[in-house]
Amino acid sequence: MGLNYYQIKKNILKSRKLVIKATSNAGSGHPGGSFSMAEILGCLFNKYLRFDPTNPKWEDRDRLVLSKGHAAPGLFSNMATVGYFPVSELETLRKFGSKLQGHPDLKCPGVEFCGGSLGTGLSYSVGIALAGKIDSKDYRVYTVIGDGESDEGQIWEAAMTAAKYKIDNLIAFLDRNFIQQDSYTERIMPLDKQLDGDDFSEMWKDASRWKTGDKWRSFGWNVIEINGHKIEQIDAAIRKAHATKGVPTMIISRTVKGKSVEHMEDNPKWHGLAPDTDVVPIINAELNSQFMIAPSIIAGDMTNLQNEIKRCVSARSDYIHLDVMDGQFVSNKTFDHTKIKELRSLTVIPFDTHLMINEPVKHVRDYIDAGSDIITVHAEVTNESDFGEIHDILKQNQIGVGFAINPDTELPEWSYKFLTSLDQLIVMSVVPGKSGQKYIEETHAKMARLNPILKEHNFSGYIEADGGVNLENIGSIFADGARVFVGGGAIVGQENMFAAIRSFRNESLKSRRHLLLDKAQELGGPDLVNKWIGLHIVGEKQEQIKKIAKEAGYI
Ligand code: DX5
Ligand code: ZN
């Protein structure tokens, strides 16, 4: 079974928007901690939890215990997304008489635990997991605890108990966002190491100083440490936990409080504060414009692709772009599915397979079996019936569906009906065949022609820019609407791939900030622009955004 990457990602986005809508409407609530655990809950609700929204008390259901109950908006938005109640009901959040209160309550069908009194959810989970074992049930208990609530002694009592009784049907996540109600955890009650001085960035500089994993290990738990915002890492950790017998699992998830909204990120203020209604459309625009970097390994050493994959892993790429060329559709030949299969075991980073081959319909199954997460085929070698077949096979296998057009190919009319369920559209900005070519400037105009068609046909996937993307043009390509950026020469071809990816991200971020300032200006003129800038109080963001606003003549 595939990663189901896009489906999970789309529902996470939907849930984040609902959190914003609901808390802003209520005028209070906890968006920060809802966002730090958004990917964790997204993976659970959309892939792993066994539940039936029409029968919330089904005996064999898996149990999700939100011990850090203040993040209730994050739980409720997921429950609405998967059908426990209509999304419109989130408008009643924190209203008198509503079943959706500031903290989860059993009067909301589907809620397993009244979180809110911090520190107690893990003990409760130990109890119901043990009960499942005694009753020979095969349900699992998934529990999310916070790092702030880890100050409570009861967490550690529960930790000892779970190990003593070998409760291996319990999988806990520590949402390690380093922030609790009033400040940074390492100031208030360090889980890792006391933080002195004012330089908060110290906390994130060196991962080896994080010792929380050792604490849990010493309590006899199976410990897995991940980046809690990477779907593929959460997915792999859950699979590993399922395979571990005789001990409970703690998945320590390094997260960012307020993740995905720049002014909320790493800012303790957003632990328990709702956004004002006038900034909500700007926040939604920000949530809609997340971006990914996809290094193309053919720009590296073709005789040692293993090493290129390893470089992508250490450089923290979002995808790995795999250019399959068959010597027919394009004159070069690179590698086929056998190579991809060989590389698959090296990483869990999504494989973004770009098939530049003839008759892809005949080969697509091989590329699914090889372990691709996203498969893109070209318009020039498919027709409505072939693509329909490919589309269905990919969806059935929970693989992302991609469609690509060459520089002189317009989007064929027969493809319009697929746009609504397409996950990725590659707009080639070089003639396919090799890396290291120059970006074709006409692509900007092509994107302007494409955008209204995509909108009209409800395209909700990502546009991937492929060919000649570099630090000079990535900003304008972002402004055109692309959200995934392939980098051959400009990333894999660079000695320091980590720095190259970081620069790609910084340039995309600049372009996104510009887009958000445009939105603020359009909706509320300089007042809203200034208000938006003023929200960015952590680090150097404010100065950087102010500079963009000045250059645009908004302030
Ligand atoms: C071209 C490939 C691209 C290419 C990108 O046929 O699809 O992915 O390798 O390399 P650069 O970024 O160097 O153009
Ligand atoms: Zn490509």
Side-chain angles (χ1 to χ4, degrees), residues 377-531:
V377 299
H378 266 260
E380 298 79 16
V381 282
T382 44
N383 53 32
E384 187 173 347
S385 130
D386 282 1
F387 188 73
E389 196 179 328
I390 293 171
H391 170 276
D392 293 350
I393 300 173
L394 294 177
K395 288 278 174 195
Q396 278 154 20
N397 285 280
Q398 304 189 335
I399 309 291
V401 184
F403 191 57
I405 47 174
N406 276 347
D408 33 2
T409 305
E410 294 298 322
L411 197 62
E413 271 187 39
W414 62 256
S415 70
Y416 291 0
K417 70 170 188 194
F418 295 105
L419 288 177
T420 166
S421 62
L422 206 62
D423 296 306
Q424 168 161 288
L425 176 67
I426 298 190
V427 180
M428 292 300 305
S429 37
V430 298
V431 176
K434 58 176 188 226
S435 70
Q437 305 180 73
K438 203 176 153 331
Y439 180 86
I440 298 173
E441 291 300 323
E442 213 280 318
T443 319
H444 293 302
K446 186 176 188 176
M447 287 290 296
R449 286 198 301 280
L450 267 172
N451 281 325
I453 301 175
L454 298 178
K455 198 167 173 202
E456 190 190 330
H457 295 276
N458 297 320
F459 172 71
S460 64
Y462 295 91
I463 296 175
E464 181 170 75
D466 188 4
V469 181
N470 59 36
L471 287 177
E472 281 69 53
N473 59 24
I474 190 170
S476 57
I477 300 171
F478 183 98
D480 289 340
R483 294 292 176 265
V484 187
F485 304 96
V486 175
I491 294 183
V492 177
Q494 303 300 305
E495 201 172 317
N496 187 343
M497 206 198 284
F498 183 84
I501 290 185
R502 196 178 43 201
S503 308
F504 261 52
R505 287 197 210 286
N506 285 340
E507 290 305 312
S508 308
L509 190 65
K510 246 191 242 167
S511 189
R512 184 172 81 186
R513 286 169 169 176
H514 201 302
L515 183 142
L516 300 178
L517 287 167
D518 292 347
K519 184 100 194 165
Q521 171 74 10
E522 174 200 322
L523 294 174
D527 285 350
L528 192 55
V529 168
N530 278 315
K531 178 172 178 176

Side-chain angles (χ1 to χ4, degrees), residues 69-93:
H70 52 278
L75 173 66
F76 296 152
S77 61
N78 271 283
M79 290 176 71
T81 305
V82 298
Y84 276 99
F85 45 82
V87 287
S88 59
E89 213 162 323
L90 283 162
E91 282 162 29
T92 69
L93 180 74

Side-chain angles (χ1 to χ4, degrees), residues 18-85:
L18 288 172
V19 167
I20 293 296
K21 195 172 174 190
T23 53
S24 150
N25 188 46
S28 60
H30 295 82
S34 295
F35 280 9
S36 56
M37 65 167 192
E39 278 75 16
I40 296 170
L41 255 50
C43 279
L44 287 174
F45 272 100
N46 296 289
K47 187 158 177 181
Y48 285 104
L49 272 182
R50 277 190 318 191
F51 61 92
D52 176 2
T54 63
N55 183 13
K57 288 205 177 303
W58 173 40
E59 269 193 31
D60 294 329
R61 71 191 184 280
D62 289 333
R63 274 74 169 164
L64 171 65
V65 174
L66 181 63
S67 185
K68 40 167 281 181
H70 52 278
L75 173 66
F76 296 152
S77 61
N78 271 283
M79 290 176 71
T81 305
V82 298
Y84 276 99
F85 45 82

Side-chain angles (χ1 to χ4, degrees), residues 21-304:
K21 195 172 174 190
T23 53
S24 150
N25 188 46
S28 60
H30 295 82
S34 295
F35 280 9
S36 56
M37 65 167 192
E39 278 75 16
I40 296 170
L41 255 50
C43 279
L44 287 174
F45 272 100
N46 296 289
K47 187 158 177 181
Y48 285 104
L49 272 182
R50 277 190 318 191
F51 61 92
D52 176 2
T54 63
N55 183 13
K57 288 205 177 303
W58 173 40
E59 269 193 31
D60 294 329
R61 71 191 184 280
D62 289 333
R63 274 74 169 164
L64 171 65
V65 174
L66 181 63
S67 185
K68 40 167 281 181
H70 52 278
L75 173 66
F76 296 152
S77 61
N78 271 283
M79 290 176 71
T81 305
V82 298
Y84 276 99
F85 45 82
V87 287
S88 59
E89 213 162 323
L90 283 162
E91 282 162 29
T92 69
L93 180 74
R94 291 181 160 242
K95 297 257 157 60
F96 194 65
S98 169
K99 65 183 184 212
L100 307 179
Q101 285 306 317
H103 295 79
D105 190 288
L106 294 184
K107 72 175 161 232
C108 176
V111 164
E112 296 285 349
F113 173 72
C114 293
S117 298
L118 291 173
T120 59
L122 195 60
S123 307
Y124 180 79
S125 306
V126 168
I128 53 176
L130 191 54
K133 284 193 157 285
I134 293 169
D135 292 344
S136 302
K137 294 275 185 196
D138 69 350
Y139 66 73
R140 291 192 170 95
V141 180
Y142 297 92
T143 302
V144 184
I145 68 169
D147 47 6
E149 75 166 323
S150 301
D151 296 356
E152 303 285 351
Q154 190 174 338
I155 290 280
W156 305 101
E157 296 172 30
M160 283 189 282
T161 314
K164 171 178 171 176
Y165 292 104
K166 304 188 177 14
I167 301 176
D168 54 8
N169 55 345
L170 171 62
I171 298 169
F173 289 87
L174 172 65
D175 181 0
R176 182 71 170 117
N177 58 34
F178 285 82
I179 291 176
Q180 59 195 98
Q181 186 159 358
D182 302 312
S183 182
Y184 297 88
T185 54
E186 305 316 88
R187 287 210 138 163
I188 293 186
M189 181 59 73
L191 261 180
D192 282 329
K193 202 170 154 196
Q194 172 95 23
L195 176 75
D196 300 313
D198 288 326
D199 187 1
F200 299 123
S201 63
E202 276 302 317
M203 288 191 295
W204 294 284
K205 260 183 203 155
D206 173 16
S208 66
R209 70 190 287 282
W210 303 337
K211 300 285 185 269
T212 317
D214 291 346
K215 277 200 173 77
W216 283 94
R217 251 174 241 117
S218 77
F219 274 79
W221 284 54
N222 170 40
V223 174
I224 305 169
E225 298 184 59
I226 60 166
N227 174 338
H229 295 300
K230 292 281 186 194
I231 291 169
E232 66 277 13
Q233 292 191 26
I234 301 167
D235 179 79
I238 295 174
R239 276 187 285 122
K240 258 191 225 159
H242 287 179
T244 304
K245 302 293 168 216
V247 280
T249 292
M250 171 55 77
I251 302 174
I252 297 186
S253 314
R254 169 68 186 106
T255 57
V256 175
K257 201 141 182 171
K259 176 72 179 179
S260 290
V261 179
E262 254 205 281
H263 71 264
M264 294 184 172
E265 288 185 358
D266 282 333
N267 182 352
K269 199 180 131 187
W270 292 98
H271 170 87
L273 185 68
D276 289 346
T277 46
D278 54 354
V279 296
V280 167
I282 316 175
I283 293 177
N284 281 335
E286 185 166 1
L287 292 172
N288 279 336
S289 45
Q290 307 299 310
F291 52 84
M292 272 79 63
I293 310 296
S296 161
I297 56 169
I298 61 162
D301 177 0
M302 287 293 283
T303 65
N304 192 355

